[in-house]
């Protein structure tokens, strides 16, 4: 249960009845008979709803209402007024009460009002989340000086009129998230929602609920129906990051949703039809995941209608300096700095480093430098000491070849260079003809 | 925090400043946690209860990470380094495997780790020429 209620009522029996009724309905309830104590509890803890009697020791209900609206505007307040006291009911509503209830009241009537308040609160939370998603930065800048990043943007351009699913691959921090936004905002769906979900940050049950939503009563605590991101993204794009982390159950459910364009919310019996474009991303070697059986081949084929590989930063060095300048411009205003550029020494260090954390790491370095730099240009002293102390190299295991394979490739190239003269090749390589023959045979 | 971690593999008797500082820097820069495996030179994993130096090394790492706001776990056990690393990679969300300068230098260990790691392996070597940090350099 995630809806918390505080009952501020000085009549002990009435308070106990209200608490018992609400607890029986599954609400998390606390009670107090003092207005001042109620305020203290709301200041120190979070409550979704306050039920406040007008007349209370310590602080009356109307004063309590005013104070609560100051310290916790998100807490709804139902004021319990005296019989026929219209003026206090009006005052309460003007002061921002969610509703009022004249005494004596029926507990069912109170319950009805509380259920309404809870449903509205849950809807408001969803709307806030949706607004946050929709108000996401649409002014997207992609730095693409290098040929490989230009190629990425060309691929995005090629599919701007298409609705195909896209699989973004590349190491952590290369900018898959950014490219997913470019794909969405350059498509015909640009005026519809763009939502994203990181599949690695939730447990399976939570992820299912986030993605597909749930019906009221689907599980303990599911007090109201909740729309999943797939439903909210209807007409738009859903970006699923770290797709390789999806459990087998959710992989099956997602596959059905993509194929049938409909899905069942958790605990639901009626399918929900949606029109969503999917963009998925992973930093894993998905072929290895398929080979090991942890990722469904059929889902991979569905997602991988178009694969866009985003290269690592150290393989597109010509992007480093423009990125540095871009991040400097981006972060300087936030720290009220007027930094014009970089010293040559600083740029040399930045250009020479290999960035295992890719663009994300570079942005962090520049932001940190903006904070530390006191002059008009970022110098080496504002860069992390570690960058200057070590030579860093990143090796991708799937790119590493066994030594024997490299040796054989070299032997083959020497034999080819010598026009097939194996005697001369064995002499130059310093190995016997038998060894040479054996290596050539290992194909 | 993304929930992902950098796995840092080091010998327990390496000069700590050398590699740990970079490991902490990288974890902080990527908003990731840090998981440290400290091992003996013979390749066996490090028992946490061994020796008086153990607690000192651990507290140094914890203190540095606390200051930088990096969540850290230090590993110990009786398994070999390869087993520990394989075990951790299969259970945790490891983004990168970072090898200390001395582990990088030990080709046998490096090759073993390269074979078993599905994640990128980052090697460190001390820069041969320290970059000068002169002030007032040319402006680009």
């Amino acid at each position: 249960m995630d809806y918390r209620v505080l009952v501020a009522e000085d009549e002990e029996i009435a308070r106990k009845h209200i608490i018992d009724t609400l607890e029986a309905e599954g609400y998390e309830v606390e009670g107090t008979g003092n207005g001042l104590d109620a305020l203290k509890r709301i200041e120190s803890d979070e409550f979704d709803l306050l039920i406040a009697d007008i007349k209370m020791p310590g602080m009356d209900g109307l004063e309590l209402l005013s104070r609560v609206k100051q310290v916790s505007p998100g807490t709804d307040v139902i004021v319990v007024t005296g019989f026929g006291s219209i003026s206090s009911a009006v005052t309460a509503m003007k002061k921002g009460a969610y509703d009022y209830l004249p005494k004596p009241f029926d507990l069912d009537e109170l319950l009805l009002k509380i259920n309404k308040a809870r449903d509205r609160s849950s809807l408001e939370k969803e709307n806030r989340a949706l607004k946050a998603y929709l108000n996401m930065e649409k002014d997207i800048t992609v730095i693409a000086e290098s040929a490989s990043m230009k190629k990425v943007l060309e691929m995005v351009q090629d599919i701007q009129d298409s609705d195909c699913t896209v699989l973004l691959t590349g190491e952590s921090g290369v900018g898959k998230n950014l490219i997913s936004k470019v794909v969405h905002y350059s498509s015909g769906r640009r005026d519809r929602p763009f939502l994203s979900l990181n599949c690695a940050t939730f447990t399976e049950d939570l992820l299912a609920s986030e993605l597909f939503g749930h019906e009221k009563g689907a599980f303990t605590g599911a007090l109201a129906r909740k729309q999943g991101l797939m439903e909210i993204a209807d007409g738009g794009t859903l970006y699923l990051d770290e797709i390789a982390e999806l459990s087998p159950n959710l992989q099956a459910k997602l596959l059905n949703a993509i194929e049938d364009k409909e899905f069942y919310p958790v605990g639901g019996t009626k399918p929900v039809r949606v029109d969503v474009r999917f963009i998925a991303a992973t930093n894993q070697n998905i072929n290895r995941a398929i080979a090991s059986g942890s990722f469904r081949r059929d889902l991979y084929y569905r997602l991988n209608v178009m694969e866009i590989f985003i290269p690592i930063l150290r393989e597109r060095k010509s992007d480093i300096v423009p990125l540095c300048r871009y991040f400097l411009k981006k972060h300087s205003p936030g720290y009220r700095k007027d930094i014009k550029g970089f010293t040559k020494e600083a740029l040399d260090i930045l250009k020479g480093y290999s960035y295992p954390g890719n663009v994300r790491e570079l942005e962090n370095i520049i932001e940190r430098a903006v904070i530390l730099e006191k002059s008009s240009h970022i110098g080496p002293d504002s860069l992390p000491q570690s960058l200057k102390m070590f030579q860093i190299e990143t090796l991708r295991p799937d790119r590493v070849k066994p030594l024997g394979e490299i040796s054989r490739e070299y032997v083959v190239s020497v034999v080819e260079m010598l026009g097939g003269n194996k005697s001369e090749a064995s002499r130059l390589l310093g190995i016997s003809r038998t060894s040479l023959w054996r290596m050539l045979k290992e194909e | 925090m993304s929930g992902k971690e950098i796995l840092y593999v080091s010998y327990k008797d390496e000069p700590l400043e050398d590699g740990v500082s970079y490991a902490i820097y990288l974890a902080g820069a990527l908003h990731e946690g840090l998981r440290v495996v400290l091992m003996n030179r013979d390749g066996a994993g490090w028992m946490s209860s061994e020796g008086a130096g153990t607690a000192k090394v651990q507290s140094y790492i914890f203190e540095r990470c606390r200051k930088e706001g990096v969540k850290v776990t230090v590993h110990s056990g009786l398994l070999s380094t390869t087993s520990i690393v394989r075990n951790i990679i299969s259970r945790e969300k490891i983004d990168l495997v970072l090898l200390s300068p001395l582990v990088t230098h030990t080709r046998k260990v490096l090759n073993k780790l390269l074979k078993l790691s599905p994640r990128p392996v980052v090697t460190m070597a001390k820069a041969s020429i320290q970059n000068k940090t002169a002030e007032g350099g040319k402006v680009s």
Side-chain angles (χ1 to χ4, degrees), chain A residues 119-165:
Chain A
D119 290 347
R120 194 196 66 155
S121 161
S122 133
L123 202 62
E124 270 183 1
K125 278 178 189 166
E126 257 177 35
N127 281 347
R128 276 201 296 273
L130 186 57
K131 277 180 188 167
Y133 281 124
L134 294 174
N135 288 337
M136 263 188 342
E137 183 188 16
K138 289 182 188 173
D139 181 20
I140 301 163
T141 306
V142 182
I143 304 295
E145 290 285 316
S146 64
S148 55
M149 273 311 281
K150 282 179 181 161
K151 176 86 181 153
V152 167
L153 293 184
E154 275 171 25
M155 289 171 88
V156 172
Q157 208 171 6
D158 288 345
I159 56 167
Q160 66 182 10
D161 297 325
S162 157
D163 252 354
C164 65
T165 56

Side-chain angles (χ1 to χ4, degrees), chain A residues 185-222:
Chain A
Y185 288 111
S186 62
S187 76
R189 293 171 178 260
R190 69 180 70 84
D191 295 324
R192 304 293 298 161
F194 171 82
L195 307 186
S196 68
L197 179 68
N198 187 321
C199 302
T201 51
F202 292 97
T203 60
E204 182 178 347
D205 289 345
L206 268 177
L207 192 59
S209 173
E210 283 296 311
L211 204 50
F212 303 108
H214 62 247
E215 293 296 340
K216 183 179 176 181
F219 47 82
T220 313

Side-chain angles (χ1 to χ4, degrees), chain A residues 5-230:
Chain A
V5 182
L6 178 64
V7 180
E9 164 65 75
D10 60 334
E11 288 178 33
E12 197 177 342
I13 295 172
R15 186 170 70 235
K16 192 173 180 314
H17 275 309
I18 296 172
I19 291 174
D20 289 347
T21 307
L22 296 186
E23 281 181 341
E25 285 292 312
Y27 288 100
E28 197 179 323
V29 194
E30 282 184 39
T32 175
N34 185 295
L36 204 57
D37 181 51
L39 181 63
K40 281 180 185 167
R41 291 203 197 185
I42 284 175
E43 280 173 337
S44 61
D45 208 347
E46 274 189 18
F47 287 93
D48 297 289
L49 179 73
L50 165 70
I51 299 167
D53 193 0
I54 286 264
K55 287 182 181 171
M56 270 188 300
M59 184 183 285
D60 71 51
L62 288 177
E63 172 68 6
L64 177 61
L65 166 66
S66 305
R67 300 285 292 273
V68 166
K69 286 291 147 190
Q70 286 169 2
V71 298
S72 178
T75 301
D76 285 324
V77 182
I78 294 178
V79 175
V80 179
T81 63
F83 176 71
S85 176
I86 299 296
S87 62
S88 54
V90 172
T91 310
M93 295 303 280
K94 277 188 178 175
K95 282 177 179 274
Y98 167 72
D99 209 338
Y100 70 94
L101 202 59
K103 273 184 179 177
F105 58 84
D106 187 65
L107 282 173
D108 285 340
E109 196 184 349
L110 174 66
L111 206 54
L112 201 68
K113 285 182 186 292
I114 294 173
N115 287 342
K116 268 189 180 176
R118 182 204 60 211
D119 290 347
R120 194 196 66 155
S121 161
S122 133
L123 202 62
E124 270 183 1
K125 278 178 189 166
E126 257 177 35
N127 281 347
R128 276 201 296 273
L130 186 57
K131 277 180 188 167
Y133 281 124
L134 294 174
N135 288 337
M136 263 188 342
E137 183 188 16
K138 289 182 188 173
D139 181 20
I140 301 163
T141 306
V142 182
I143 304 295
E145 290 285 316
S146 64
S148 55
M149 273 311 281
K150 282 179 181 161
K151 176 86 181 153
V152 167
L153 293 184
E154 275 171 25
M155 289 171 88
V156 172
Q157 208 171 6
D158 288 345
I159 56 167
Q160 66 182 10
D161 297 325
S162 157
D163 252 354
C164 65
T165 56
V166 179
L167 181 65
L168 301 173
T169 55
E171 280 183 20
S172 293
V174 289
K176 296 188 286 294
N177 205 329
L178 178 71
I179 296 300
S180 73
K181 288 179 192 167
V182 179
V183 171
H184 171 75
Y185 288 111
S186 62
S187 76
R189 293 171 178 260
R190 69 180 70 84
D191 295 324
R192 304 293 298 161
F194 171 82
L195 307 186
S196 68
L197 179 68
N198 187 321
C199 302
T201 51
F202 292 97
T203 60
E204 182 178 347
D205 289 345
L206 268 177
L207 192 59
S209 173
E210 283 296 311
L211 204 50
F212 303 108
H214 62 247
E215 293 296 340
K216 183 179 176 181
F219 47 82
T220 313
L223 289 173
R225 181 179 189 274
K226 183 194 169 191
Q227 281 189 322
L229 292 183
M230 210 174 278

Side-chain angles (χ1 to χ4, degrees), chain A residues 181-364:
Chain A
K181 288 179 192 167
V182 179
V183 171
H184 171 75
Y185 288 111
S186 62
S187 76
R189 293 171 178 260
R190 69 180 70 84
D191 295 324
R192 304 293 298 161
F194 171 82
L195 307 186
S196 68
L197 179 68
N198 187 321
C199 302
T201 51
F202 292 97
T203 60
E204 182 178 347
D205 289 345
L206 268 177
L207 192 59
S209 173
E210 283 296 311
L211 204 50
F212 303 108
H214 62 247
E215 293 296 340
K216 183 179 176 181
F219 47 82
T220 313
L223 289 173
R225 181 179 189 274
K226 183 194 169 191
Q227 281 189 322
L229 292 183
M230 210 174 278
E231 200 173 342
I232 299 171
D234 191 20
T237 303
L238 183 56
Y239 171 55
L240 300 172
D241 197 5
E242 306 213 31
I243 192 80
E245 301 291 335
L246 270 189
S247 69
N249 280 343
L250 286 183
Q251 285 181 36
K253 209 167 171 182
L254 179 63
L255 178 67
N256 287 339
I258 295 172
E259 285 181 339
D260 303 338
K261 294 186 183 299
E262 64 178 29
F263 64 91
Y264 289 86
V266 178
T269 50
K270 285 183 185 168
V272 177
R273 284 201 71 78
V274 285
D275 167 27
V276 176
R277 184 203 202 161
F278 292 91
I279 302 175
T282 182
N283 61 7
Q284 308 274 345
N285 182 336
I286 203 125
N287 287 320
R288 188 181 282 200
I290 293 168
S292 71
S294 63
F295 199 82
R296 293 178 69 116
R297 188 179 295 274
D298 43 9
L299 177 58
Y300 169 72
Y301 286 134
R302 277 285 170 189
L303 294 172
N304 189 26
V305 174
M306 177 73 169
E307 180 177 346
I308 300 179
F309 171 74
I310 302 155
I312 50 178
L313 185 55
R314 60 191 167 276
E315 285 179 3
R316 46 182 169 114
K317 286 196 178 273
S318 52
D319 287 338
I320 291 175
V321 173
L323 278 168
C324 289
R325 296 199 168 116
Y326 170 72
F327 290 135
L328 173 64
K329 204 173 158 190
K330 178 181 170 184
H331 290 294
S332 291
Y335 296 103
R336 292 178 295 281
K337 295 282 181 88
D338 185 23
I339 300 172
K340 312 276 186 216
F342 299 82
T343 66
K344 186 181 177 305
E345 287 83 351
L347 276 186
D348 286 345
I349 292 168
L350 290 165
K351 283 191 281 186
Y353 180 56
S354 75
Y355 302 98
N358 292 295
V359 182
R360 188 185 303 152
E361 184 183 0
L362 174 60
E363 177 166 11
N364 189 283

